């Protein structure tokens, strides 16, 4: 076997001089390698078999067999978020391709560069309702940045390279390439592109005048705020954001996906805005006279009712996507720019300033995050604190969707860039466990912790199999309250405690872990929390900790959906 | 003369699926589209679309920006300002036996419409012009009974030099 591999590697080298005729499948593999791909997640099946056949000739391409294609898409997404490089997932036609849909929609909503390669039935079979035929290009049109149905092997190479270019350029996003089975077998010439085509920004770059107009608004503001989002992380503009905030003295709010773009221990850091942001953040927004939004999109979970949001504030909005400027809020100055370059130019245009009094006022309204329960019970905050202590804050937290996601967003204290990864826009339960595989593959040196609820973890629990087979060193903390907690909370607040279908049982996770050849423990007492986390870190390979938390714990405060700061629910009923 | 709504000219690559992408975007984002006409442009491989968008300035702005994000869209122009050339074509089959034929042909003549088909009981007219002109003819013909009608939707072209050619167009379309 080894000989065959070496020989084929040699052959490939020798042939480099002249354009080589390769099968479509090999063209895909070569193009992936050319794009720097080393990892991919996928699942074979009828229409993608020629690709898998060729894959074995390219040992530099590491393919991870997932247990469900949705997980492949999430893993590619996690890899991309953690590294900034394009994540790749592979599936067969029909059900394989449709199983990717939730993962692609997740990546699309959060601007994550993913390339999905799907098999399609052979060209003569297209449109004939062939076995496992689905029009996946049609299905994924609204949830991809772009997609392709490849009609011949000759165009396959250029299309794969174009897919990568589109996925990572401008505002990143997922791209799907659908390859009919006979195209995978067809021979064509493949020449790697001489140089990477630069991504052409379509919008005109902002002029000096734009930055000066923004700077004038900033210098005349008395109560300014920065709201920083995912764009800062995607752009890697950590230093630029910090320099801008320190230069102008403006306090920084980070959206859910902006978390870890600005150190939370920084004196200018205020926390998260919106539905489950702490009260002082939403009050500050209510009082602000200027908001500088950077790489964020004024999502409804941030703003609530737009008519009453930030009623006194003028908006300076910097985003790489021109369509975001003015989409949700009227903008005084729109700056279409990548956060890194845009923030550097804006800082240069701004006079140094400070807003100590404004900042002091806001901070005076800060309350310690929820009290730690006394006695033997423990709060989610204690679990998060134990993870942070035990990992010296070096961990990447991959969170699922629900109450635990909000607790993890609020209670951890993120200081390291890009250390918080979560499905924000789509809010995909079941995201965290498979996404963590990609995060771990991308950042093998960092501890990776999944924080999930007992509902979400069961949505893709089958991936423990992949984790076991691949030997991924991923630690999992389940915050288990026996409920679909966030939905239950809404039922408690808005539906008369009618807990319809939110009670959920769990398997014995330790036993389940054993069945997968992994280790796990249930943690029920405060005294065991820290020790359990330390134990998990001391074990090689994946560990699942099942933390029993209070059943009806809520996330406070809460601005009800479409609501306003005035309608914020700050305290449990008893304390109100 | 500019007609209701904003008029966008969209150039897009002539790929299978490109048109679907545009219409899917309109549906998904809930954009209010009054009319859409598409055909070849002067450039090989590039289709040209004329889109009429109802809605306020910010909605039109969103339509333009979202269209720009589609990979196959080459160019989007709002040609509404500067008295663009706006035309629509219609084929109208109207009930007209021998007693009404004269009246209908008279109307057609006044509107510069041509009779393109004739039967015992119907006349089919072809009209090209600004939408309001087509609209007026349709209204006048409705009392005879319109059996079938097809309208192309608005097609648009900006003027090459607005100042010089306005009068010419007014004269031609009067």
């Amino acid at each position: 076997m080894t000989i065959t591999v070496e020989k084929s590697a040699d052959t490939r080298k020798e042939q480099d001089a002249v354009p080589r005729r390769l099968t479509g499948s090999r063209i895909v593999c070569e193009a992936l390698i050319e794009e720097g791909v080393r990892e991919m997640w996928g699942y074979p099946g009828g229409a993608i078999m020629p690709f898998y056949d060729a894959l074995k000739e390219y040992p530099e391409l590491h393919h991870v067999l997932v247990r469900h294609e949705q997980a492949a898409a999430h893993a590619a997404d996690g890899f991309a978020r953690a590294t900034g490089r394009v994540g790749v997932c592979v599936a067969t036609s029909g059900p394989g391709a449709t199983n990717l849909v939730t993962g692609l929609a997740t990546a699309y909503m959060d601007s994550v560069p993913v390339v999905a390669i799907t098999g399609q039935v052979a060209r003569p079979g297209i449109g004939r309702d062939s076995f496992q035929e689905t029009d996946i290009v049609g299905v994924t049109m609204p949830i991809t940045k772009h997609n392709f149905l490849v009609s011949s092997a000759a165009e396959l190479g250029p299309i794969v390279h174009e897919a990568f270019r589109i996925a990572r350029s401008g505002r990143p996003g997922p791209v799907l390439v659908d390859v009919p089975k006979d195209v995978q077998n067809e021979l064509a010439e493949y020449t790697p592109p001489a140089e990477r085509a630069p991504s052409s920004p379509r919008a005109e770059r902002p002029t000096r005048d734009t930055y000066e107009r923004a700077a004038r608004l900033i210098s005349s503001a008395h109560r300014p705020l920065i709201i920083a989002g995912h764009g800062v992380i995607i752009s890697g503009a950590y230093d630029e954001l910090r320099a801008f905030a320190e230069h102008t003295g403006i306090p920084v709010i980070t959206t859910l996906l902006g978390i870890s773009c600005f150190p939370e221990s920084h004196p200018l850091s205020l926390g998260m805005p919106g539905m489950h942001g702490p009260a002082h953040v939403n009050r500050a927004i209510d009082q602000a006279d200027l908001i500088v939004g950077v790489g964020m999109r004024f999502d409804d979970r941030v703003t609530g009712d737009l008519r009453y949001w930030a009623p006194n504030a003028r908006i300076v909005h910097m985003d790489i996507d021109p369509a975001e400027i003015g989409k949700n809020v009227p903008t005084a100055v729109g700056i279409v720019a990548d956060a890194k370059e845009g923030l550097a130019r804006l800082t240069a245009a701004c006079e140094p300033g400070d807003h100590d009094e404004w900042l002091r006022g806001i901070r005076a309204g800060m309350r310690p995050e929820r009290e730690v329960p006394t006695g033997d019970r423990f709060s989610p905050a204690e679990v998060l604190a134990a993870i942070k202590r035990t990992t010296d804050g070096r961990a990447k937290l991959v969170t699922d969707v629900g109450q635990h996601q909000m607790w993890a967003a609020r209670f951890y204290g993120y200081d390291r860039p890009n250390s918080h990864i979560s499905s924000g826009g789509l809010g995909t339960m079941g995201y965290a466990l498979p996404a963590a595989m990609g995060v771990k593959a991308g950042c093998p040196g960092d501890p990776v912790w999944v924080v999930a609820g007992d509902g979400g973890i069961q949505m893709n629990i089958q991936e423990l199999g992949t984790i076991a087979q691949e030997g991924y060193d991923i630690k999992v903390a389940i915050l288990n309250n026996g409920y679909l907690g966030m939905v239950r909370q809404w039922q408690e607040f808005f539906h008369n405690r009618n807990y319809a279908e939110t009670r959920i049982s769990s398997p014995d996770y330790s036993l389940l872990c054993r069945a997968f050849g992994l280790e796990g423990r249930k943690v029920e007492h405060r005294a065991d929390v820290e020790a359990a986390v330390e134990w998990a870190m001391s074990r090689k390979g994946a560990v699942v900790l099942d933390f029993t938390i209070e059943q009806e714990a809520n996330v406070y405060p809460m601005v009800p959906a479409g609501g306003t700061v005035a309608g914020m629910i700050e305290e449990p009923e008893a304390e109100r | 003369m500019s007609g209701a709504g904003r008029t966008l000219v969209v150039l897009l690559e002539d790929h299978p699926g490109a048109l679907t992408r545009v219409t899917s975007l309109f549906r998904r984002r809930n954009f209010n589209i009054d009319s859409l006409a598409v055909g070849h442009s002067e450039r090989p491989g590039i289709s040209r679309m004329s889109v009429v968008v109802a809605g306020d300035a910010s909605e039109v702005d969103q339509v333009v920006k979202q269209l720009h994000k589609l990979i196959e869209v080459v160019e989007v122009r709002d040609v509404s300002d500067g008295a663009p050339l706006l035309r629509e074509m219609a084929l109208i089959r109207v009930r007209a036996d021998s007693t009404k034929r004269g009246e209908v042909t008279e109307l057609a003549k006044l509107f510069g419409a041509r009779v393109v088909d004739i039967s015992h009981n119907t006349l089919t007219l072809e009209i090209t012009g600004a939408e309001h002109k087509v609209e007026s003819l349709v209204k006048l013909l409705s009392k005879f009974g319109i059996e079938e009608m097809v309208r192309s939707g608005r097609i648009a072209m900006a003027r090459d030099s607005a100042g010089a050619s306005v009068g010419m167009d007014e004269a031609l379309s009067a």
Side-chain angles (χ1 to χ4, degrees):
Chain A
M1 280 308 263
T2 324
I3 295 167
T4 324
V5 169
E6 280 173 1
K7 191 177 160 199
S8 89
D10 282 348
T11 327
R12 279 190 274 138
K13 261 184 211 131
E14 280 165 24
Q15 291 174 342
D16 265 353
V18 280
R20 293 161 299 142
R21 284 178 70 76
L22 301 172
T23 62
S25 296
R26 292 188 58 171
I27 290 173
V28 174
C29 291
E30 303 238 342
L32 290 176
I33 291 168
E34 190 69 26
E35 291 291 341
V37 175
R38 294 296 174 267
E39 306 271 341
M40 65 184 90
W41 291 266
Y43 207 105
I48 191 77
M49 283 180 71
F51 169 76
Y52 276 90
D53 194 44
L55 194 57
K56 284 293 145 197
E57 295 173 43
Y58 296 87
E60 59 269 62
L61 289 172
H62 177 59
H63 178 277
V64 175
L65 177 69
V66 292
R67 298 300 184 265
H68 186 293
E69 290 88 348
Q70 182 189 350
H74 288 326
D77 166 310
F79 176 86
R81 292 191 207 223
T83 63
R85 305 207 301 272
V86 178
V88 178
C89 57
V90 186
T92 190
S93 65
T98 57
N99 277 347
L100 293 177
V101 165
T102 302
L104 293 175
T106 304
Y108 184 66
M109 282 292 265
D110 289 348
S111 314
V112 182
V114 165
V115 166
I117 311 272
T118 50
Q120 181 55 278
V121 301
R123 283 167 294 183
I126 292 178
R128 295 170 179 275
D129 302 319
S130 305
F131 177 66
Q132 291 193 329
E133 181 189 1
T134 297
D135 171 20
I136 199 63
V137 164
V139 169
T140 58
M141 210 171 261
I143 53 161
T144 52
K145 191 172 169 189
H146 193 59
N147 57 21
F148 299 91
L149 172 61
V150 183
S151 58
S152 73
E155 61 182 42
L156 196 43
I159 282 180
V160 172
H161 291 299
E162 176 73 354
F164 275 79
R165 189 189 66 74
I166 292 169
R168 68 174 160 246
S169 66
R171 178 182 184 167
V175 178
L176 180 136
V177 182
D178 197 25
V179 192
K181 188 172 185 177
D182 57 337
V183 171
Q184 296 169 45
N185 286 324
E186 191 181 35
L187 284 169
E189 283 182 5
Y190 172 68
T191 327
E195 56 188 54
R196 237 161 255 143
S199 45
S200 49
R202 285 184 132 155
E204 284 172 31
R205 291 179 59 194
T207 58
R208 176 198 286 257
D209 175 61
T210 308
Y211 286 103
E212 278 168 2
R213 279 190 298 130
R216 277 198 294 279
L217 285 179
I218 289 166
S219 63
S220 62
H222 300 290
R223 297 182 305 281
L225 292 172
I226 296 166
I227 304 184
H230 197 195
V232 175
I233 292 177
I234 295 170
S235 160
Y238 309 104
D239 294 343
E240 288 77 6
L241 174 62
R242 191 172 172 152
F244 173 62
E246 289 174 351
H247 180 69
T248 56
I250 306 179
V252 179
I253 290 167
T254 43
T255 67
L256 177 66
L257 289 192
I259 288 175
S260 77
C261 79
F262 190 78
E264 290 188 21
S265 56
H266 195 286
L268 287 170
S269 171
L270 296 183
M272 183 174 79
M275 182 175 276
H276 288 297
H280 70 271
V281 175
N282 288 326
R283 294 222 171 87
I285 291 171
D286 204 42
Q287 293 160 14
D289 62 357
L290 179 77
I291 285 172
V292 183
V294 183
M296 50 81 71
R297 58 189 174 86
F298 299 96
D299 165 72
D300 60 279
R301 285 302 194 255
V302 165
T303 64
D305 190 332
L306 277 168
R307 289 170 303 169
Y308 304 105
W309 187 75
N312 308 305
R314 301 230 263 169
I315 309 279
V316 171
H317 190 187
M318 181 188 296
D319 199 279
I320 199 163
D321 180 358
E324 287 302 337
I325 313 287
K327 186 182 82 177
N328 291 339
V329 294
T331 307
V333 180
I335 304 173
V336 179
D338 179 76
K340 203 174 174 75
E341 187 195 334
L343 281 170
R345 289 188 65 185
L346 186 56
T347 307
C350 285
E351 298 294 323
D354 76 69
H355 295 279
D356 288 350
E357 200 179 323
W358 163 234
L359 179 64
R360 265 200 305 279
I362 300 170
R363 295 192 83 95
M366 275 174 97
R367 311 246 307 262
E369 292 286 15
R370 296 290 306 152
E371 299 275 301
V372 174
T374 50
D376 203 30
R377 292 184 310 157
F378 56 88
S379 71
E382 288 173 88
V383 175
L384 292 155
I387 294 173
K388 189 171 180 186
R389 266 197 307 275
T390 310
T391 59
D392 291 327
R394 290 184 306 110
K396 283 198 184 294
L397 258 64
V398 189
T399 67
D400 216 75
V401 171
Q403 287 184 314
H404 72 276
Q405 181 188 29
M406 296 298 112
W407 289 321
R410 294 261 304 279
F411 301 150
Y412 186 79
Y414 298 85
D415 277 339
R416 284 169 61 90
N418 202 15
S419 54
H420 170 267
I421 287 170
S422 196
S423 162
L426 199 68
T428 309
M429 280 176 71
Y431 169 80
L433 189 67
M437 302 193 293
V439 174
K440 188 70 201 181
C443 306
D446 293 344
V448 173
W449 273 86
V450 168
V451 179
D454 47 322
I457 198 71
Q458 293 188 65
M459 272 199 183
N460 275 317
I461 193 75
Q462 78 286 346
E463 294 311 313
L464 287 176
T466 312
I467 288 169
Q469 183 170 347
E470 204 59 26
Y472 281 127
D473 184 3
I474 293 169
K475 315 302 182 191
V476 181
I478 302 171
L479 300 181
N480 190 339
N481 56 11
Y483 276 110
L484 304 176
M486 186 59 92
V487 183
R488 188 210 53 74
Q489 176 173 341
W490 285 49
Q491 289 171 333
E492 178 185 334
F493 287 6
F494 313 119
H495 298 274
N496 286 321
R497 294 181 189 263
N498 178 17
Y499 294 166
E501 296 302 316
T502 40
R503 195 89 186 83
I504 185 169
S505 68
S506 269
D508 179 331
Y509 290 106
S510 329
L511 213 55
L512 187 69
C513 283
R514 273 181 53 205
F516 279 110
L518 303 172
E519 294 183 292
R521 256 189 210 176
K522 188 170 190 157
V523 187
E524 293 173 287
H525 306 286
R526 155 170 297 145
D528 301 334
V529 171
E530 185 104 18
V533 172
E534 279 170 10
W535 170 74
M537 287 304 294
S538 74
R539 308 304 292 171
K540 212 168 142 35
V543 172
V544 177
L545 297 178
D546 175 15
F547 291 97
T548 308
I549 61 163
E550 203 183 322
Q551 289 208 320
E552 297 189 33
N554 285 326
V555 183
Y556 292 105
M558 175 175 194
V559 180
T564 64
V565 185
M568 179 162 51
I569 304 167
E570 280 196 72
E571 293 290 339
E573 242 168 32
E575 294 170 39
R576 261 182 266 161
Chain B
M1 181 58 211
S2 65
R6 304 293 289 184
T7 307
L8 307 181
V9 168
V10 183
L11 300 181
L12 72 164
E13 289 171 31
D14 185 11
H15 290 167
L19 181 60
T20 318
R21 245 179 255 283
V22 172
T23 53
S24 150
L25 171 73
F26 292 159
R27 181 195 51 76
R28 177 163 65 93
R29 298 246 174 217
N30 216 3
F31 290 145
N32 214 341
I33 302 303
D34 272 356
S35 117
L36 190 156
V38 61
H40 294 299
S41 72
E42 75 285 358
R43 288 159 65 180
I46 300 290
S47 307
R48 179 170 173 135
M49 210 183 246
S50 304
V51 186
V52 182
V53 188
D56 57 20
S58 73
E59 182 169 347
V60 175
D61 182 54
Q62 266 298 301
V63 175
V64 172
K65 287 169 164 176
Q66 295 293 345
L67 279 170
H68 263 303
K69 286 168 70 169
L70 297 179
I71 305 295
E72 285 146 331
V73 167
V74 179
E75 196 183 327
V76 185
R77 269 181 311 196
D78 184 341
V79 297
S80 317
D81 301 324
L85 298 163
L86 305 176
R87 292 292 179 274
E88 186 172 13
M89 179 184 168
L91 294 171
I92 308 162
R93 178 160 300 148
V94 62
R95 217 169 295 141
D97 57 18
S98 53
T99 63
K100 302 278 194 246
R101 207 169 283 151
E103 208 179 332
V104 171
T105 7
E106 195 58 32
L107 260 177
K109 202 179 291 173
L110 282 170
F111 277 82
R114 294 195 304 142
V115 175
V116 289
D117 189 36
I118 182 164
S119 75
H120 286 300
N121 298 314
T122 64
L123 278 174
T124 304
L125 307 183
E126 175 196 316
I127 178 171
T128 304
E131 281 152 288
H132 67 87
K133 184 171 153 188
V134 177
E135 207 68 61
S136 311
L137 179 61
V138 169
K139 210 173 283 172
L140 289 166
L141 291 174
S142 60
K143 74 162 187 179
F144 300 98
I146 292 174
E147 295 214 325
E148 200 179 340
M149 175 170 78
V150 55
R151 295 175 66 165
S152 65
R154 185 191 296 178
I155 58 169
M157 188 181 275
R159 286 172 193 280
D160 195 19
S161 86
S165 47
V166 171
M168 173 91 89
D169 177 59
E170 295 300 312
L172 292 174
S173 66

